[in-house]
Amino acid sequence: MVIETNSPEETYQLGIDLGKAALPGHVYTLTGDLGVGKTVFTQGLAKGLDIEEPVNSPTFTIVQVYEEGRLPFYHFDVYRIGDIEEMDEIGYEDYFFGDGVCLIEWANLIEEILPEKRTEILIEKDLEKGFDYRKITIEEIN
Ligand code: ADP
Ligand code: MG
């Protein structure tokens, strides 16, 4: 499925829609260049899970846990991961195969441990279509 947005608000709203529909154990992967709107999307998804506290990229930890929403939310940013063993050290399987909702930014860096069942989201710019244009591709992987 491809969705096109033309403002941060629209991308945020798309995140809300997916967050509202998210089921326990759902894993989303999020890929796209710096500044493309991954955090905007993630903030919408958190809002859709009824999380009110501010959500930003977890800069100093691999995973940030939010427990106050409709479901637990596990926000991963693996951009700075050095070795896949760091995922073992934080016990990633408890998150990936638990009852919360996982969102993994830069998931392509940990391809070998991604669960087989997941929703992949790719956000891309196309400057020919305007500065605020984003093409968002959502694909169910089984
Ligand atoms: P990332 O987390 O991918 O590095 P951010 O979400 O932090 O990116 O930043 C995206 C930036 O792009 C924000 O400044 C936002 O206002 C802007 N922006 C412009 N148009 C859009 C759009 N259609 N969707 C999302 N963000 C947009
Ligand atoms: Mg970000």
Side-chain angles (χ1 to χ4, degrees), residues 75-138:
H75 181 201
F76 290 79
D77 186 334
V78 300
Y79 183 66
R80 284 180 187 79
I81 202 162
D83 193 287
I84 202 85
E85 273 176 28
E86 288 175 46
M87 292 299 288
D88 290 322
E89 282 160 22
I90 62 159
Y92 76 92
E93 287 180 310
D94 292 345
Y95 299 112
F96 283 15
F97 304 105
D99 287 331
V101 173
C102 288
L103 183 144
I104 311 161
E105 295 194 43
W106 298 97
N108 51 304
L109 298 177
I110 57 163
E111 193 88 53
E112 61 259 55
I113 61 165
L114 291 178
E116 273 175 37
K117 185 174 164 51
R118 60 186 188 265
T119 302
E120 291 194 345
I121 301 164
L122 170 66
I123 310 181
E124 297 167 295
K125 291 186 186 180
D126 182 346
L127 290 176
E128 285 181 9
K129 297 192 176 175
F131 192 65
D132 290 346
Y133 171 89
R134 301 293 189 272
K135 179 183 173 191
I136 304 175
T137 307
I138 303 177

Side-chain angles (χ1 to χ4, degrees), residues 3-109:
I3 292 157
E4 297 173 297
T5 69
N6 287 288
S7 68
E9 292 75 19
E10 281 179 58
T11 300
Y12 183 77
Q13 184 60 49
L14 177 66
I16 292 181
D17 295 344
L18 266 73
K20 280 189 195 294
L23 298 171
H26 211 127
V27 175
Y28 298 90
T29 67
L30 188 52
T31 312
D33 293 339
L34 211 65
V36 83
K38 297 184 296 300
T39 296
V40 170
F41 175 86
T42 303
Q43 288 168 339
L45 192 118
K47 180 72 178 170
L49 289 168
D50 299 328
I51 293 163
E52 299 296 341
E53 68 180 285
V55 172
N56 288 301
S57 275
T59 312
F60 300 108
T61 51
I62 294 175
V63 61
Q64 189 80 47
V65 176
Y66 300 89
E67 301 269 17
E68 51 146 329
R70 182 171 69 77
L71 294 168
F73 178 45
Y74 309 126
H75 181 201
F76 290 79
D77 186 334
V78 300
Y79 183 66
R80 284 180 187 79
I81 202 162
D83 193 287
I84 202 85
E85 273 176 28
E86 288 175 46
M87 292 299 288
D88 290 322
E89 282 160 22
I90 62 159
Y92 76 92
E93 287 180 310
D94 292 345
Y95 299 112
F96 283 15
F97 304 105
D99 287 331
V101 173
C102 288
L103 183 144
I104 311 161
E105 295 194 43
W106 298 97
N108 51 304
L109 298 177

